[in-house]
Amino acid sequence: FLSMRKAGFVLFVMLAITLLFLVVTVLLQGGPASIFSNPFRWFGEIDTDLALDIVSTAAELLAAVLAIAITVVAIIVELAANRYSHRISSLFVREPINVVVMGFLVVATLYSVWAAFILDAGAGEPIISNAGLIAVLVFLTLSLAILLPYFAFVLSFLSPVSVIGRLQGAAMAAIRNIGKKSIASSQEEFITAVDELQDIARRSAELGDRAVEMACIDAMFDLVLSYQPLIAALEKDAPDWFDVNGVVRNDPDFVSVNESSLATIRSERTWAEVKILRQYLDLVGDSRPGSRDASYLIAINTRRMAIGGLEHRPDLELTNLCMRCFNSFLRATINKKDARTGYYIMNHYRMLAEELLAKHEPDAAKNVADY
């Protein structure tokens, strides 16, 4: 929203400066007063041949602007998609602002090409002389003026943090819009968004971009906490959402899970949380000794997740799941012989037990001690 306000402000400033220079030029050159008092009359006094030349030149300029916009945007989108995630391309194509701007440039170019025929001498008295010229100049002015703000919007849209926020929003929209589409379709959209967040986190870790990796980890944590208040309504209105069948069962994170574990996931209604925590486990397993910050943040978020789930999961389904994930995190660090990360995860595991005691959940704290 702030980016849109900035782009609109830049557009307004550029148009205001252009108008100011136009006024100053007319005054210094001693142009006819009808330019301001009666601009339609002034346009009507322009020779038809000159108007046709202007329209032809404007058509070439608009075609060039369209080509520049498509070329620059295509290069930027491709670079961002190769660096982080191929889903960036589909997110970009579906963005309404991109559709509107590109559509406007196409319409302006097509109209300017055909306007020359309209400007040609015809029968009858025109309502406004050279109206086609006026329209072409308006199209040309707006097309050139929006180019710079649009490029700024594209760069803002394709920033990793913006893409992460859109993926998180897409996952939540898949849950909130269950009534508008099939359960399987909503599950697939949710799974796809979570997978893309994990892919961006992994790619960022490979590139050494820890800020983006940690932003993905936080996005998945926020996704779990935002999902918890919706569970009660889903159990009432869309109980099939919690089924581990079809799309969910065939997902790589569930396809190899044994039936007893699947039965537990079904009974606890936690496949969405399991999906996200499996991404956490993969990131812990892939982390390197030189980039432990991601594992540390995962431990922090898992502890916060376990406590945050108490309000909406009084049966401790999410809390127990987080405990099992802590065990898996520790096993992964032991297998890698990464003592420092294991110590940090163990410390937050202990802090979880203390917070459970403070929340009057002694049995859950005892489970941590038993583990």
Side-chain angles (χ1 to χ4, degrees):
F1 178 71
L2 292 177
S3 299
M4 288 301 301
R5 290 185 60 182
K6 290 180 180 178
F9 177 74
V10 171
L11 177 61
F12 173 78
V13 169
M14 289 192 299
L15 291 176
I17 292 175
T18 302
L19 180 60
L20 176 63
F21 273 98
L22 178 62
V23 171
V24 172
T25 302
V26 170
L27 293 176
L28 293 177
Q29 191 171 322
S34 60
I35 292 180
F36 303 118
S37 62
N38 193 347
F40 294 118
R41 176 185 173 187
W42 178 76
F43 271 103
E45 295 172 352
I46 297 177
D47 182 67
T48 303
D49 292 335
L50 176 60
L52 288 172
D53 290 339
I54 294 174
V55 170
S56 299
T57 303
E60 296 176 1
L61 286 174
L62 284 168
V65 169
L66 178 60
I68 291 171
I70 292 176
T71 302
V72 173
V73 168
I75 292 173
I76 296 174
V77 172
E78 182 66 19
L79 290 174
N82 289 336
R83 182 176 177 86
Y84 293 108
S85 170
H86 66 87
R87 187 174 170 83
I88 289 176
S89 300
S90 61
L91 288 173
F92 184 83
V93 170
R94 291 200 301 267
E95 173 60 34
I97 293 177
N98 297 317
V99 176
V100 170
V101 172
M102 287 298 179
F104 175 79
L105 293 177
V106 170
V107 170
T109 304
L110 290 175
Y111 177 80
S112 63
V113 170
W114 286 94
F117 297 97
I118 302 174
L119 284 171
D120 200 2
E125 184 68 22
I127 298 175
I128 299 177
S129 298
N130 290 331
L133 174 61
I134 299 174
V136 168
L137 290 177
V138 171
F139 274 127
L140 180 60
T141 301
L142 293 178
S143 298
L144 292 173
I146 66 175
L147 202 57
L148 187 59
Y150 177 60
F151 285 159
F153 166 78
V154 170
L155 293 175
S156 175
F157 179 91
L158 296 176
S159 67
V161 175
S162 176
V163 172
I164 291 169
R166 292 176 189 277
L167 289 172
Q168 181 182 346
M172 288 305 301
I175 300 173
R176 293 193 175 101
N177 297 333
I178 284 179
K180 300 178 182 179
K181 57 184 68 175
S182 66
I183 298 293
S185 177
S186 298
Q187 290 175 331
E188 184 176 9
E189 290 182 10
F190 179 87
I191 289 173
T192 301
V194 172
D195 284 337
E196 291 298 333
L197 286 172
Q198 199 249 19
D199 287 344
I200 294 176
R202 179 175 291 168
R203 188 73 63 85
S204 301
E206 295 173 354
L207 297 172
D209 196 343
R210 292 189 298 172
V212 175
E213 181 185 11
M214 297 174 82
C216 289
I217 293 171
D218 279 336
M220 287 187 273
F221 165 73
D222 292 337
L223 190 55
V224 170
L225 289 193
S226 300
Y227 167 66
Q228 299 307 305
L230 305 178
I231 291 177
L234 289 173
E235 290 176 341
K236 178 182 178 182
D237 301 329
D240 292 341
W241 165 262
F242 301 100
D243 289 343
V244 188
N245 298 313
V247 174
V248 178
R249 185 67 178 88
N250 294 326
D251 183 74
D253 286 319
F254 295 96
V255 70
S256 60
V257 177
N258 59 61
E259 287 300 327
S260 62
S261 298
L262 287 177
T264 301
I265 293 173
R266 289 191 185 97
S267 63
E268 294 181 348
R269 309 176 308 286
T270 56
W271 75 261
E273 294 90 336
V274 170
K275 174 66 182 179
I276 292 174
L277 288 168
R278 285 294 296 266
Q279 314 314 307
Y280 272 10
L281 179 58
D282 288 343
L283 292 173
V284 171
D286 293 340
S287 65
R288 298 169 231 176
S291 58
R292 296 186 176 94
D293 292 346
S295 297
Y296 297 168
L297 181 60
I298 287 174
I300 293 171
N301 285 351
T302 305
R303 173 176 58 81
R304 294 167 60 196
M305 202 181 295
I307 297 300
L310 292 175
E311 179 180 356
H312 302 284
R313 292 293 187 94
D315 293 336
L316 305 183
E317 296 97 334
L318 180 57
T319 303
N320 292 329
L321 176 60
C322 290
M323 291 181 194
R324 296 196 293 270
C325 285
F326 265 115
N327 299 335
S328 298
F329 297 158
L330 288 171
R331 184 169 61 250
T333 58
I334 292 171
N335 291 339
K336 293 194 303 178
K337 299 181 180 179
D338 188 355
R340 173 174 288 187
T341 302
Y343 162 79
Y344 198 91
I345 292 174
M346 181 74 79
N347 185 49
H348 280 277
Y349 206 2
R350 174 190 60 80
M351 293 171 64
L352 171 60
E354 293 180 354
E355 292 180 10
L356 288 171
L357 286 174
K359 294 287 186 179
H360 307 290
E361 296 289 348
D363 293 336
K366 180 178 179 299
N367 288 338
V368 176
D370 290 340
Y371 285 135

